[in-house]
């Protein structure tokens, strides 16, 4: 390949300007890896483009820095902790232990069943009892389920908590997730029960539909099980999960909706 | 840049102070509504923070990486169905906005401000940068828009950046 011709073709400029299609991008990146002259040329292009872009610099609104920092790091009360599993020994009332033991197909959905025994019945919960038959039975899952039950019981027992089951859409009919929404504190917790493995470079994103508009509720990290604290919401008409590119998107790709549920 | 890997609130402050006005400037050029631009800057920083492990210094400068995330965040919005339904895509206008000479960006462009630079750029070359960089057009789309062959667009793209490099007086040893 003639390096000079390649440079003269302007493909590196197009790459730096972000106007290459995915296939072209990959081609360019392969060539960049191979030829140091191309890397040097690109460096100069990117440098001048960066300088040009910074000429348009504009002061962001005051207070935005704090807002973003709060979103990333939380404020005093909200540390954004992941509520993980506690597979330690636990003490349950005898009747509860018996009920737990009886649920051989235990996953976290057993928490829903237990909750329905404890609280006033709600037609939402009747559905999930049928779903128990879909659940796998493995010792590890049962143990982790019993452990996480402890934490989730606390959440669910709170009368201000609302449970929403997100059911699979056409994309993945078996997809399932559970949302616990504390209406008093506005805290929203998401536990993914089942989602297809996200392809490389893609990531699941959680949304709340507020006044008909989808609002980002946080990225989903499927590598850790259990309940995850997501963004707080005072009101929402529905919750949904879409598949986006890694890092997320400001607006959902509605063609990649995997699960949805209404409070 | 070590700050990025640190990932704590202080590191964020350093990066925000150094780069936010450049990133916001690019976003605001693409999405002119100020409130939307502010939201997008937040989106961009969240993406930046969540994907900071994927920044590869051997592939380019941090500033380039940050700019691309900010730019792509804004361009993606212009492509969303909701955005298109809600408003026309902002036409690339030729009015030169007042630049805020942020001293945070240490750029060796001496006294060349936006107005002067833009005035020196040949109009047809500036148009290409606007369409491709701020408009998110591919070269094929730009060719259709400008009613010219793709080859011409490619030549202009090359020439635009050559002229830009001359204007920016990019030196090889610049950091």
């Amino acid at each position: 390949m003639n390096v000079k011709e390649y440079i003269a073709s302007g493909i590196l400029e197009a790459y730096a300007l972000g106007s290459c299609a995915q296939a072209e991008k990959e081609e360019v990146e392969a060539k960049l890896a191979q030829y140091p002259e191309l890397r040097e040329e690109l460096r100069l292009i990117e440098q001048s483009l960066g300088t040009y872009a910074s000429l348009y610099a504009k002061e962001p609104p005051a207070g935005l820095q704090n807002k973003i920092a709060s979103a990333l790091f939380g404020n005093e009360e909200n540390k954004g902790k992941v509520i993980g599993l506690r597979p330690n020994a636990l003490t349950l009332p005898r009747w509860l232990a018996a009920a737990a033991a009886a649920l051989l197909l235990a996953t976290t959905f057993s928490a829903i069943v237990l909750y329905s025994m404890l609280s006033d019945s709600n037609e939402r919960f009747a559905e999930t009892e049928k779903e128990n038959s879909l659940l796998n039975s493995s010792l590890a899952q049962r143990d982790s389920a019993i452990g996480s039950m402890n934490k989730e019981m606390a959440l669910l027992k709170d009368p201000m908590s609302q449970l929403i089951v997100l059911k699979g859409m056409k994309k993945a009919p078996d997809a399932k997730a559970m949302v616990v929404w504390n209406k008093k504190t506005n805290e929203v917790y998401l536990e993914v029960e089942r989602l297809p493995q996200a392809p490389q470079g893609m990531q699941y994103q959680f949304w709340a539909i507020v006044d008909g508009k989808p609002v980002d509720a946080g990225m989903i990290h499927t590598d850790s099980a259990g309940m995850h604290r997501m963004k707080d919401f005072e009101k929402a008409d529905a919750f949904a999960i879409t598949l986006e590119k890694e890092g997320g998107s400001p607006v959902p790709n509605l063609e990649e909706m995997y699960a949805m549920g209404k409070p | 840049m070590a700050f990025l890997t640190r990932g704590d609130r202080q590191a964020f402050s350093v990066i925000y102070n150094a780069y936010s006005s450049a990133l916001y400037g690019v976003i605001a050029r693409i999405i002119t509504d100020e409130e939307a631009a502010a939201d997008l800057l937040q989106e961009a920083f969240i993406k930046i923070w969540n994907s900071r492990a994927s920044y590869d210094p051997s592939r380019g400068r941090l500033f380039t990486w940050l700019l691309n995330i900010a730019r792509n965040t804004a361009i993606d919005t212009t492509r969303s169905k909701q955005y298109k339904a809600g408003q026309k895509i902002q036409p690339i206008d030729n009015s030169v906005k007042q630049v805020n000479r942020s001293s945070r960006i240490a750029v060796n462009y001496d006294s060349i401000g936006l107005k002067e630079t833009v005035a020196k750029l040949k109009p047809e070359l500036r148009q290409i940068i606007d369409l491709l960089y701020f408009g998110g057009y591919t070269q094929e789309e730009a060719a259709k828009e400008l009613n010219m062959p793709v080859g011409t667009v490619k030549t202009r793209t090359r020439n635009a950046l050559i002229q830009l490099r001359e204007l920016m007086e990019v030196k090889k040893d610049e950091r």
Side-chain angles (χ1 to χ4, degrees):
Chain A
M1 190 203 75
N2 187 322
V3 167
K4 280 196 163 61
E5 272 177 22
Y6 195 77
I7 288 177
S9 73
I11 185 81
L12 293 177
E13 279 82 359
Y15 177 80
L17 289 166
S19 59
C20 282
Q22 185 61 29
E24 242 184 336
K25 269 176 76 172
E26 288 168 7
E27 259 186 59
V28 173
E29 282 162 5
K31 295 261 180 341
L32 283 168
Q34 256 189 300
Y35 298 96
E37 306 98 307
L38 297 185
R39 291 199 291 276
E40 175 61 16
E41 186 72 10
L42 182 65
R43 188 184 74 83
L44 295 171
I45 294 168
E46 288 180 342
Q47 209 161 345
S48 58
L49 194 54
T51 306
Y52 180 64
S54 62
L55 293 179
Y56 289 92
K58 192 175 167 185
E59 201 68 30
L64 187 55
Q65 181 174 356
N66 273 335
K67 188 163 176 246
I68 299 176
S70 292
L72 289 174
F73 307 103
N75 44 36
E76 250 52 60
E77 309 89 68
N78 166 20
K79 294 283 180 194
K81 266 203 292 251
V82 169
I83 297 183
L85 305 173
R86 282 230 207 115
N88 302 323
L90 48 84
T91 50
L92 291 174
R94 239 191 91 178
W95 69 268
L96 201 52
L103 292 170
L104 290 176
L105 298 180
T107 66
T108 55
F109 274 101
S110 57
I112 301 170
V113 177
L114 289 170
Y115 181 53
S116 68
M117 291 183 200
L118 293 166
S119 72
D120 297 327
S121 66
N122 181 315
E123 59 263 30
R124 213 176 7 251
F125 298 131
E127 280 186 41
T128 62
E129 287 183 333
K130 291 180 212 157
E131 256 109 34
N132 281 340
S133 60
L134 293 174
L135 308 175
N136 300 325
S137 64
S138 82
L139 189 64
Q141 274 185 311
R142 186 177 59 202
D143 283 346
S144 72
I146 292 173
S148 64
M149 251 194 259
N150 219 18
K151 202 81 193 186
E152 282 145 24
M153 288 286 288
L155 272 174
L156 293 170
K157 271 160 87 171
D158 187 337
M160 292 307 293
S161 276
Q162 189 177 21
L163 175 76
I164 301 124
V165 177
L166 304 189
K167 304 185 108 193
M169 307 293 282
K170 274 197 206 108
K171 270 270 157 187
D174 286 341
K176 196 155 280 112
M178 193 169 91
V179 172
V180 179
W181 188 14
N182 189 317
K183 304 306 296 284
K184 183 173 58 191
T185 61
N186 293 334
E187 291 165 12
V188 177
Y189 297 87
L190 174 71
E191 173 156 7
V192 172
E193 181 63 23
R194 187 167 46 247
L195 271 180
Q197 173 97 6
Q200 179 85 330
M202 305 288 279
Q203 192 178 5
Y204 287 107
Q205 186 165 359
F206 184 53
W207 304 87
I209 316 293
V210 183
D211 293 332
K213 214 180 93 157
V215 178
D216 168 57
M219 295 311 295
I220 297 172
H221 303 281
T222 49
D223 49 339
S224 57
M227 289 229 141
H228 293 234
R229 173 87 182 270
M230 309 302 282
K231 294 188 182 173
D232 292 357
F233 282 91
E234 203 183 304
K235 59 170 174 160
D237 311 317
F239 293 97
I241 293 177
T242 63
L243 183 64
E244 307 290 343
K245 54 184 204 286
E246 219 170 304
S249 169
V251 280
N253 183 350
L254 298 173
E255 278 147 45
E256 292 286 321
M257 175 142 349
Y258 279 72
M260 192 173 95
K262 295 190 181 177
Chain B
M1 193 178 194
F3 281 113
L4 208 55
T5 46
R6 259 176 55 189
D8 60 25
R9 197 169 190 143
Q10 221 180 353
F12 164 75
S13 282
V14 171
I15 294 197
Y16 188 89
N17 285 329
Y19 296 108
S20 62
S21 53
L23 303 184
Y24 185 65
V26 167
I27 292 173
R29 178 113 175 91
I30 298 169
I31 303 278
T32 50
D33 175 66
E34 293 218 357
E35 224 182 275
D39 284 346
L40 286 168
L41 184 66
Q42 175 160 347
E43 285 296 338
F45 265 104
I46 291 174
K47 269 189 220 178
I48 286 165
W49 223 250
N50 285 340
S51 61
R52 65 189 189 277
S54 70
Y55 165 60
D56 181 356
S58 70
R59 299 254 299 231
R61 291 192 313 158
L62 176 65
F63 186 37
T64 303
W65 185 75
L66 296 172
L67 269 179
N68 285 336
I69 293 179
R71 181 193 160 265
N72 291 336
T73 304
I75 298 280
D76 282 350
T77 300
T78 65
R79 292 198 178 125
S80 81
K81 292 176 193 146
Q82 284 168 303
Y83 183 90
K84 282 180 181 162
Q87 47 195 297
K88 293 177 231 157
I89 296 188
Q90 298 295 331
I92 308 291
D93 62 54
N94 284 314
S95 65
V96 172
K97 294 184 179 163
Q98 271 302 313
V99 65
N100 172 14
R101 295 242 194 125
S102 171
S103 58
R104 295 168 186 162
I105 309 282
V107 158
N108 183 19
Y109 61 90
D110 298 326
S111 56
I112 297 178
L114 180 61
K115 218 167 178 172
E116 293 95 328
T117 304
V118 161
K120 286 181 182 178
L121 257 181
K122 289 185 192 156
E124 70 269 16
L125 300 185
R126 188 195 163 206
Q127 190 184 41
I128 286 290
I129 298 179
D130 276 347
L131 278 176
L132 299 186
Y133 193 65
F134 294 112
Y137 284 60
T138 60
Q139 288 178 310
E140 283 74 18
E141 289 166 349
K144 279 206 191 91
E145 175 74 17
L146 299 170
N147 205 11
M148 62 179 55
V150 174
T152 310
V153 170
K154 290 188 177 178
T155 310
R156 285 202 187 172
T157 306
R158 170 88 180 130
N159 291 335
L161 265 299
I162 288 175
Q163 199 193 3
L164 204 62
R165 278 158 68 172
E166 289 165 12
L167 286 172
M168 299 291 102
E169 292 174 7
V170 173
K171 299 172 183 113
K172 283 209 170 170
D173 51 82
E174 197 169 336
R175 83 172 154 84

